[in-house]
């Protein structure tokens, strides 16, 4: 069967979603999971955009061995130089450079003629080829570009050394028939098209990103660009899990293979959702919590008799297996370490000890410790930052009554090592906590979004709080989990503030690269 490369851009295009800000440790954790999932290429970020992105791309390039790591760059020499510095440690250095080719972009954004755009694209590819063996060139807003001009510029960049040509539907305007026809036209008319890979990159503004990507595959695309859970700019990108499972379930029709380890899909989806704070809609194809739920009596009867009557996808295919109690309060450190390693976590001794202590505290208070509980505990330790002094919650207490003003008291260890005890009131218990903790920082904190959800099932399930706030001109998202949702909310608030401290530390250490 024909091999289709999966180009994952969760860490670049996906992170451009409103309200998402991942730190370097979180990006590395997602990259390692994408490697386990078996994606061909991981777009780790845009190195020239910020010191934080440069650091993340560089560390991912040095960590991931079984997937190709790439970085995005404009057709500018300085961008290409910066990307090389970030990527050169990779097993197979790869760069993804882009330049807009549609009339509206060339006239109003670039303010360049088609001839000037072609010249810039060719020079950029030639320059990138001096460093990178693998050079992908993207025609931004390619679908809305003039076809003849698009074929011509593609021929020129192929002659300059491009190894992959990406034709994005940048604004999600295409229909499957149109997008597929464009790939067929370019395959037949672009000079040198038979010597390179063609790639599809679709946005979901009209809800057709996955359908368009499949249409491209059917018309000559060798690679599809997508994200976990379909996150991305505006309405998002094509969802990796939907494309991967569709190619597998309907291989009789599509006759292609992706090389994905589909059993890692569920874990990949949950990890990205947890770290980005983006909730998966219940009826989301493949990974939504209702994807395998049956409410209709007729459906339930059929599934009980033979699951294939109404389930074309087996839950086990994507790693959605029923997992029993894995550890209990009598489990020792060795068993805990073994389970963590089996689940794919690589923790330092210090982080493993902290995770084990959290597990023991939870096991003493909770009847059953589930796989989801362990994922929450281990993930939080895996992505924690150790070399920056941060705020740490010692305790929080709330006095509340329907006839009284809610009052919160919190004890916090400051980055300087001091213990501060603070108190404040609010219109509700959560606001009282937030008002209390705001006294720790200089300036006003604005809450942009706040939500709480359960981790797993049952009345004793962990509660996970996610908060998006702005402070000192920057926005950040914090999250944490605890058996008590008020404690989780306090920890999530401090986590968001701590993220600001981490970013300030990075900005102080490195110059801006653009």
């Amino acid at each position: 069967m024909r091999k289709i490369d999966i180009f994952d851009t969760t860490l670049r295009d996906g992170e451009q979603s409103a309200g998402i800000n991942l730190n370097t440790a979180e990006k590395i954790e997602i990259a390692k999971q994408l490697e386990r999932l078996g994606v061909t290429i991981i777009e780790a970020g845009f190195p020239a955009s910020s010191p934080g992105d440069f650091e993340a791309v560089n560390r991912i390039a040095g960590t991931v061995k079984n997937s190709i790591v790439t970085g995005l760059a404009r057709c500018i020499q300085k961008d290409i130089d910066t990307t090389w510095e970030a990527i050169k440690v990779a097993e197979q250095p790869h760069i993804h450079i882009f330049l807009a080719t549609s009339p509206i972009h060339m006239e109003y954004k670039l303010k360049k003629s088609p001839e000037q755009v072609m010249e810039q694209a060719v020079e950029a590819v030639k320059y990138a080829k001096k460093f990178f063996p693998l050079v992908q060139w993207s025609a931004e807003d390619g679908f809305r570009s003039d076809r003849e001009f698009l074929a011509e510029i593609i021929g020129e960049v192929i002659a300059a050394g491009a190894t992959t040509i990406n034709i994005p539907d940048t604004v999600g305007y295409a229909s499957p028939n149109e997008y597929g026809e464009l790939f067929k036209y370019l395959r037949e008319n672009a000079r040198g098209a038979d010597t390179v890979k063609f790639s599809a990159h679709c946005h979901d503004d009209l809800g057709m990103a996955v359908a368009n990507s499949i249409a491209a595959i059917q018309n000559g695309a060798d690679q599809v660009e997508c994200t976990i859970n379909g996150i991305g700019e505006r309405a998002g990108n094509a969802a990796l899990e939907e494309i991967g499972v569709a190619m597998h379930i309907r291989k009789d029709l599509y006759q292609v293979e992706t090389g994905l380890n589909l059993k890692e899909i569920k874990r990949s989806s949950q990890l990205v959702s947890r770290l980005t704070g983006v909730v998966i809609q219940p009826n989301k194809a493949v990974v939504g919590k209702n994807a395998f739920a049956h409410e209709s009596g007729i459906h339930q009867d059929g599934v009980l008799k033979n699951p294939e009557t109404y389930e074309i996808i087996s839950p086990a295919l994507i790693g959605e297996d029923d997992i029993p109690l894995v550890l209990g309060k009598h489990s020792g450190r060795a068993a805990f370490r073994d389970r963590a390693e089996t689940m794919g976590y690589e923790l330092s001794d210090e982080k493993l000890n902290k995770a084990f202590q959290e597990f023991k505290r939870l096991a003493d208070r909770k009847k059953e410790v589930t796989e989801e509980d362990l994922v929450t505990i281990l993930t939080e330790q895996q992505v924690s930052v150790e070399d920056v002094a941060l705020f740490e919650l010692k305790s929080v207490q709330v006095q509340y009554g329907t006839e009284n003003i809610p009052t919160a008291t919190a004890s916090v260890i400051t980055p300087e090592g001091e213990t501060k005890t603070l108190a404040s009131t609010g219109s509700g218990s959560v606001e009282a906590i937030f008002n209390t903790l705001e006294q720790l920082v200089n300036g006003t904190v604005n809450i942009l979004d706040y939500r709480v959800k359960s981790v797993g099932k049952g009345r004793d399930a962990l509660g996970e709080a996610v908060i998006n706030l702005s402070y000192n001109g920057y926005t950040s998202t914090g999250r944490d989990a605890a058996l008590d949702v008020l404690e989780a909310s306090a920890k999530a608030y401090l986590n968001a503030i701590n993220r600001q401290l981490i970013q300030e530390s990075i900005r102080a250490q490195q110059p801006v690269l653009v």
Side-chain angles (χ1 to χ4, degrees):
M1 289 188 180
R2 186 161 68 101
K3 172 70 163 56
I4 298 299
D5 290 339
I6 300 297
F7 180 115
D8 182 274
T9 185
T10 301
L11 295 172
R12 202 276 301 169
D13 210 338
E15 207 212 1
Q16 292 176 203
S17 302
I20 295 179
N21 62 325
L22 299 168
N23 63 35
T24 297
E26 290 166 336
K27 290 181 180 180
I28 291 172
E29 187 62 22
I30 291 174
K32 284 158 52 176
Q33 179 57 32
L34 292 172
E35 184 180 24
R36 284 189 285 267
L37 179 59
V39 305
T40 311
I41 300 173
I42 299 171
E43 188 167 46
F46 188 171
S49 66
S50 71
D53 243 30
F54 179 92
E55 181 197 22
V57 173
N58 180 247
R59 290 184 59 186
I60 290 170
T63 301
V64 171
K65 303 302 179 186
N66 298 315
S67 298
I68 296 169
V69 178
T70 191
L72 186 69
R74 295 166 294 186
C75 284
I76 298 172
Q77 184 172 321
K78 190 174 182 181
D79 273 24
I80 296 169
D81 288 338
T82 302
T83 303
W84 172 246
E85 290 302 315
I87 294 286
K88 64 184 181 182
V89 298
E91 294 285 312
Q92 298 183 67
H94 183 295
I95 189 171
H96 177 195
I97 57 177
F98 70 97
L99 189 62
T101 56
S102 66
I104 190 170
H105 275 245
M106 290 190 291
E107 179 180 356
Y108 292 102
K109 187 180 77 173
L110 300 180
K111 301 188 185 300
K112 292 180 182 289
S113 67
E115 293 74 22
Q116 289 173 315
V117 168
M118 188 177 301
E119 180 182 0
Q120 184 179 353
V122 169
E123 289 305 312
V125 171
K126 285 181 177 178
Y127 185 73
K129 195 65 177 178
K130 293 178 182 178
F131 307 97
F132 294 89
L134 301 173
V135 177
Q136 173 170 314
W137 181 79
S138 283
E140 186 185 10
D141 204 20
F143 177 74
R144 294 195 297 173
S145 300
D146 176 79
R147 284 191 173 191
E148 291 184 3
F149 173 68
L150 195 56
E152 183 180 2
I153 194 172
I154 287 172
E156 293 298 322
V157 296
I158 290 174
T163 54
T164 302
I165 300 298
N166 183 41
I167 310 298
D169 179 21
T170 303
V171 295
Y173 185 70
S175 70
N177 284 341
E178 292 173 310
Y179 196 58
E181 286 173 3
L182 177 59
F183 274 80
K184 187 173 186 293
Y185 171 84
L186 294 173
R187 273 293 191 190
E188 293 173 349
N189 292 277
R191 181 165 50 92
D194 59 335
T195 65
V196 298
K197 288 195 305 181
F198 270 74
S199 177
H201 178 111
C202 299
H203 282 263
D204 208 35
D205 297 72
L206 296 178
M208 289 186 281
V210 170
N212 287 340
S213 299
I214 293 174
I217 291 171
Q218 292 177 306
N219 286 274
D222 311 286
Q223 174 178 290
V224 286
E225 305 192 1
C226 38
T227 62
I228 300 295
N229 299 335
I231 63 173
E233 286 268 20
R234 305 182 312 279
N237 291 53
L240 181 152
E241 63 278 1
E242 294 179 25
I243 293 173
V245 170
M247 294 299 101
H248 175 79
I249 295 295
R250 293 308 314 272
K251 56 189 171 188
D252 62 314
L253 173 65
Y254 301 122
Q255 293 291 302
V256 298
E257 60 181 6
T258 62
L260 291 174
N261 179 6
L262 298 180
K263 277 193 170 292
E264 292 291 335
I265 281 181
K266 185 66 176 181
R267 182 176 172 191
S268 301
S269 172
Q270 290 178 332
L271 178 68
V272 169
S273 176
R274 178 172 287 111
L275 295 184
T276 60
V278 178
V279 178
I280 304 167
Q281 66 191 65
N283 62 329
K284 170 79 171 63
V286 180
V287 293
K289 70 177 183 180
N290 292 345
F292 303 103
H294 301 276
E295 184 70 22
S296 164
I298 295 174
H299 286 213
Q300 291 173 344
D301 180 62
V303 169
L304 288 172
K305 292 174 178 175
N306 185 337
E308 293 184 4
T309 54
Y310 287 101
E311 284 185 359
I312 62 168
I313 306 169
S314 162
L317 176 70
I318 64 165
E320 179 75 276
D321 299 314
D322 290 327
I323 300 173
L325 176 68
V326 289
L327 292 172
K329 65 179 182 179
H330 299 299
S331 299
R333 194 181 306 272
F336 184 79
R337 177 189 289 274
D338 180 70
R339 186 58 188 163
E341 291 174 352
T342 300
M343 293 169 67
Y345 291 94
E346 299 173 4
L347 298 173
S348 65
D349 288 342
E350 182 180 353
K351 287 188 174 184
L352 186 73
N353 287 337
K354 288 182 179 179
F356 183 68
Q357 291 167 11
E358 286 294 321
F359 160 72
K360 279 295 193 181
R361 279 195 287 269
L362 182 62
D364 283 338
R365 299 170 63 189
K366 196 172 187 289
K367 185 177 180 181
E368 291 184 346
V369 178
T370 66
E371 182 90 351
E372 290 173 316
D373 295 331
L374 289 178
V375 168
T376 299
I377 292 171
L378 291 167
T379 300
E380 288 307 312
Q381 285 302 321
Q382 183 90 307
V383 301
S384 64
V385 178
E386 297 176 318
D387 56 355
V388 179
L390 305 170
F391 289 106
E392 180 182 349
L393 183 72
K394 285 189 66 179
S395 65
V396 63
Q397 182 176 341
V398 177
Q399 292 180 309
Y400 172 79
T402 55
E403 301 298 326
N404 300 320
I405 298 175
T407 302
T409 303
S411 180
V412 178
I413 300 174
T414 69
E416 294 75 29
E418 301 177 10
T419 299
K420 287 189 175 181
T421 300
L422 309 161
S424 188
T425 61
S427 57
S429 299
V430 173
E431 187 187 15
I433 291 172
F434 292 169
N435 289 343
T436 299
L437 298 176
E438 186 175 352
Q439 298 175 57
L440 292 166
V441 299
N442 296 318
T444 302
V445 176
N446 294 311
I447 307 299
L448 306 177
D449 187 28
Y450 164 73
R451 58 185 180 273
V452 177
K453 65 173 184 176
S454 67
V455 177
K457 302 174 182 178
R459 65 175 63 191
D460 62 350
L462 283 173
E464 183 175 57
V466 178
I467 181 169
N468 183 240
L469 55 78
S470 65
Y471 166 63
N472 277 353
Y474 296 93
T475 62
S476 63
T477 301
R479 68 180 180 280
D480 215 312
L483 280 174
D484 188 291
V485 294
L486 295 180
E487 179 186 351
S489 300
K491 288 181 174 180
Y493 186 101
L494 289 180
N495 181 249
I497 296 298
N498 285 336
R499 284 170 174 270
Q500 294 279 21
L501 297 179
I502 293 167
Q503 290 305 312
E504 287 172 7
S505 173
I506 293 172
R507 287 192 291 269
Q509 293 171 16
Q510 294 177 282
V512 176
L513 299 171
V514 294

